[in-house]
Amino acid sequence: METQQVVSYLDRHEADAIGRLMEWLRIPSVSTDPAYSADVRRAAEWGAQQLKAAGFDVEIMPTGTADEPGHPVILASTPGDPAYAGPHVLFYGHYDVQPAEPLELWDNPPYEPVIRPAEGEIGERIVARGACDDKGQVATFFEAMRAWKEISGKAAGGVKMTVLIEGEEESGSANLEKFVDEQKDRLGACDVCVISDTGMLGRGKPAITYGVRGLAYTEITLHGPNQDLHSGLWGGRAPNPVNELVKVLAQLWDQDRKITIPGFYDDVQPVTDEERRAWQRLGIDSVAALRSIGLGPDADVGEAGFNATEREWARPSCDINGIYGGYTGEGAKTVIASHATA
Amino acid sequence: METQQVVSYLDRHEADAIGRLMEWLRIPSVSTDPAYSADVRRAAEWGAQQLKAAGFDVEIMPTGTADEPGHPVILASTPGDPAYAGPHVLFYGHYDVQPAEPLELWDNPPYEPVIRPAEGEIGERIVARGACDDKGQVATFFEAMRAWKEISGKAAGGVKMTVLIEGEEESGSANLEKFVDEQKDRLGACDVCVISDTGMLGRGKPAITYGVRGLAYTEITLHGPNQDLHSGLWGGRAPNPVNELVKVLAQLWDQDRKITIPGFYDDVQPVTDEERRAWQRLGIDSVAALRSIGLGPDADVGEAGFNATEREWARPSCDINGIYGGYTGEGAKTVIASHATA
C-alpha cells in the first residue's frame, strides 16, 4: 500500500524533517511587530520552497493595499491526477508566530529551538516559539507532501489540492478576508478545508478536529430616559433600562438551558450515536477540566441532554460576553440609568 | 381662633420675616468646604437666636469627635402646655447649603439675595443659595414659632416640641447618625417628625409630604470560573456568571411588575381610596413628566394597579442601579467572565 510506503519514508527521514522544522522555527516571523517584517517574508519564502519541492505550483502573494501592505500569503496548488475523483482539498495554515515576550520566562531563547525530554511523559518535545502554533503542524503537512511526491511521483499523491498559508493569523488575520474574497474563483472551488491549527487531547492522543464553532456577536443597547434619574424619585415610575435588559436577556435560555432564539438550532448538525460513543471512549475527564478553572463537579451544567464534551464540540452556545449599565463605581448611587448595554 | 390670629400676625410682619431670611441667606454656610467653617457656625447661631426669641430652650451642640469635629446641631425644645395631650413633635431641618459654584451661572451673587419676578408665573421669588433648600423652609418655621409665641404667649403655642437643625445635610449628614444615637433619650421620646426639606407641586401648589421612600441598597457579585475564559472553548460548558446573574435578576419582578422578594410588601401601607381621590384631584400630568425625560406616554409602565403618582408616592420599587460583567470595552471579545456584579 502506498500509504504504508509514505509512513515508512517519513520514519526513515524523521531526522531530516526535524532539521527542516528547526530551520523554520529559527525565523522570528512575528506578524504583529513591523520590526520583524523581513523575517515574516523569509518564513513565507521558506514555506513556499517546501511546497515547490513537493511539486506544487507556488506563489507568494501580497495582501493589504499599497498604503497598508499586509504579510504575504503562500498560495499553492496542484491539479491532481487526471483520474482523481475525490474532493478538491484546501489546506490552511499560518507561518507567523506570537511575540515571544516576556523573554525571561523562556528556558531557552525562543528562536533557538531545542529538543527536551517531555516532562513527566514519554518521548521528547521541540521547544521554540511557533513549534506547536502553527509551524510544527504545517511542517508535518510539508513532510507528508514531500513523502507522497517521493513515493508516488505526483504532487499530493495525485489529490487535487490548494494550499493557503497566511502570515497574519496571530495578529487577527486583518487582510485575510479581503484576500479570500479576491481569490474566490480559486478558493471557492475547494470542497473541504483541512486545518491543523487546533489541539490534541494530550501527548500520544492526536485529535482530528472536524468541526469548530463559528461566531455571531452582537451588541445591544437599551435606551430609556434621556438622562440618569434618581431612583428615589423615579423608581417604579420611569422604565429602568437595566431592569428591562436583564428581563429580556434572561429569556435567551429556557429551563433546559436550550437557547430560545427562533431558528437558532435550525442548521445545527445533530450528534450521532456513533459520535457519542466515540467521544465517550476518549475518557475525557470533564470534572478535572472544571477543577482547572476553580469549579466543582456541580458546575457541570449546560444544555439538557448533552454532556460537557458534546456541549463543547457539537452544540452552539449563547453567552453574554459583557454587560454594563448604571453606576458601576465604588459605593452606592441610587441611579436609574438612561441606557444599558450587553 | 388663635390660628387665624397667627396667620394675620404673619401677614402683617411679612416684610420683617423676609428681611430676617435675607440675613440668614447672606451667611455662606457651605458645609462641605472647611473654608466656610466659621460661616457654618454663624448660621447655626443665627438659627438658635430665632428659636430663643420664640421661647425655646436652645443649645448649639457639637458633633463628630475631637479629632474630626463636625458642624454643630441646633437642638431646641419646649415642654409644651401642661394641658397639652397631643404628640411630641420633632421638627427637623438643616442650615447648611451646597457650594454655589459655578458662579458664572448665577445672575446675582449667590449670597446676596435678591427678590425677582417669578418668570412666567405670578408673584416673586427670592434668589439666593439656600433660599429653597433649606433655609427658606426652616425660616417659615421660625416665623410661625415667633408668631405663635407672640399671639399665645407660649413657645410653639403650647405644643410639646423638639427641634433639630443640622449643618451637614448637604455633605452627607456624616455625623448625624451618631448624634441621634447619643441623644436617643431626647429624640426617641418624639412621636412624629416634621420635615420641610421636600418639594412643592408647583408655584401656588404647596405640598405636604407625609411619606418618603427609604432605601435598602445591596451589591451582589456572582463568581464563576477563577479566570476569564474563551467563550469559543467554554461556551455552554462552563457556567457564565453574566448569563446566570441576569436570570436571577430577571426574577425580581413578576408579569405584573410586582416585586417577588418574599416579604417585600409586608410593611407597606396600602394606598387608601381617600388618598387616591385626593391625589387624582391634584391633576398631576404624568405624561408631561415622562416627556421631560424624553419618553412617550407608552413609557408609563409600572406595578399593575397603580398610576404613576401612586407608584412614586406610595409604592416601593426595586431597581438595578448598576450592573457590570465581562468585557465592556470597544469592539468584541468572546469572554466568559469570571464574575458579574449588580
Side-chain angles (χ1 to χ4, degrees), chain B residues 31 40-41 44 59-75 95 164-169 171 173-183 187:
Chain B
S31 56
V40 174
R41 173 90 203 172
E59 290 169 89
I60 295 180
M61 300 186 71
T63 65
T65 61
D67 286 345
E68 290 191 63
H71 295 303
V73 165
I74 308 170
L75 195 62
Y95 63 84
L164 186 163
I165 302 176
E166 69 156 322
E168 298 187 347
E169 201 273 347
S171 52
S173 297
N175 295 298
L176 186 63
E177 188 173 344
K178 180 164 165 279
F179 181 86
V180 168
D181 209 50
E182 286 165 359
Q183 300 295 327
L187 299 171

Side-chain angles (χ1 to χ4, degrees), chain A:
Chain A
M1 249 221 28
E2 253 183 343
T3 304
Q4 278 169 343
Q5 289 177 271
V6 168
V7 170
S8 164
Y9 178 93
L10 288 167
D11 283 342
R12 285 197 312 275
H13 297 84
E14 189 181 345
D16 294 343
I18 289 174
R20 280 188 285 269
L21 172 55
M22 300 291 231
E23 271 182 36
W24 208 21
L25 293 173
R26 282 189 192 100
I27 307 173
S29 49
V30 181
S31 57
T32 200
D33 185 344
Y36 293 93
S37 286
D39 294 309
V40 173
R41 173 91 202 172
R42 202 149 52 89
E45 282 161 2
W46 190 94
Q49 196 49 52
Q50 306 305 307
L51 289 165
K52 273 179 203 153
F56 281 77
D57 299 317
V58 189
E59 290 169 87
I60 295 180
M61 301 187 70
T63 65
T65 61
D67 286 345
E68 292 192 59
H71 296 303
V73 165
I74 308 169
L75 195 61
S77 56
T78 177
D81 210 61
Y84 177 70
H88 180 172
V89 176
L90 173 66
F91 179 90
Y92 164 89
H94 66 92
Y95 62 85
D96 62 320
V97 300
Q98 289 267 356
E101 286 76 15
L103 297 178
E104 62 272 23
L105 298 184
W106 287 82
D107 290 329
N108 57 290
Y111 303 109
E112 294 176 20
V114 292
I115 294 175
R116 289 252 177 81
E119 274 173 46
E121 293 180 65
I122 49 165
E124 297 173 314
R125 294 173 189 275
I126 297 175
V127 180
R129 170 56 88 216
C132 60
D133 182 8
D134 188 34
K135 284 176 177 166
Q137 293 96 312
V138 175
T140 62
F141 169 73
F142 289 161
E143 296 302 329
M145 292 301 104
R146 177 185 295 266
W148 275 101
K149 179 73 164 71
E150 292 297 323
I151 298 301
S152 70
K154 303 168 194 165
V159 171
K160 184 177 174 68
M161 280 198 84
T162 298
V163 177
L164 186 164
I165 302 175
E166 69 156 322
E168 297 187 349
E169 201 272 347
E170 301 294 5
S171 52
S173 297
N175 294 299
L176 186 64
E177 187 174 345
K178 180 164 166 281
F179 181 86
V180 168
D181 209 50
E182 286 166 0
Q183 300 295 328
K184 200 157 37 180
D185 288 350
R186 284 179 77 171
L187 299 172
C190 300
D191 302 304
V192 298
C193 180
V194 175
I195 299 174
S196 58
D197 186 17
T198 45
M200 288 173 70
L201 289 174
R203 192 167 180 89
K205 281 196 182 175
I208 297 172
T209 299
Y210 59 98
V212 291
R213 294 199 275 197
L215 174 66
Y217 191 98
T218 190
E219 181 172 296
I220 57 168
T221 297
L222 184 60
H223 294 272
N226 62 6
Q227 57 194 279
D228 285 1
L229 303 171
H230 189 291
S231 65
L233 288 175
W234 287 95
R237 190 171 153 209
N240 178 332
V242 185
N243 294 7
E244 303 304 319
L245 184 62
V246 302
K247 286 196 248 177
V248 171
L249 294 176
Q251 295 172 42
L252 285 170
W253 312 271
D254 69 11
Q255 296 286 338
D256 291 329
R257 293 174 181 267
K258 299 254 174 220
I259 294 143
T260 57
I261 299 167
F264 189 83
Y265 293 104
D266 281 0
D267 296 326
V268 176
Q269 299 291 317
V271 183
T272 65
D273 288 343
E274 193 188 340
E275 285 173 311
R276 281 180 188 254
R277 281 192 301 266
W279 298 351
Q280 195 69 43
R281 281 197 300 272
L282 295 171
I284 291 171
D285 187 346
S286 62
V287 170
L290 288 170
R291 202 182 304 124
S292 76
I293 55 168
L295 296 174
D298 55 346
D300 183 16
V301 290
E303 188 187 357
F306 298 93
N307 66 33
T309 304
E310 292 158 4
R311 298 197 308 268
E312 180 192 353
W313 289 358
R315 302 299 297 173
S317 67
C318 175
D319 274 291
I320 304 173
N321 296 127
I323 191 169
Y324 61 99
Y327 182 70
T328 56
E330 281 298 309
K333 189 173 171 190
T334 51
V335 69
I336 291 181
S338 72
H339 57 269
T341 298

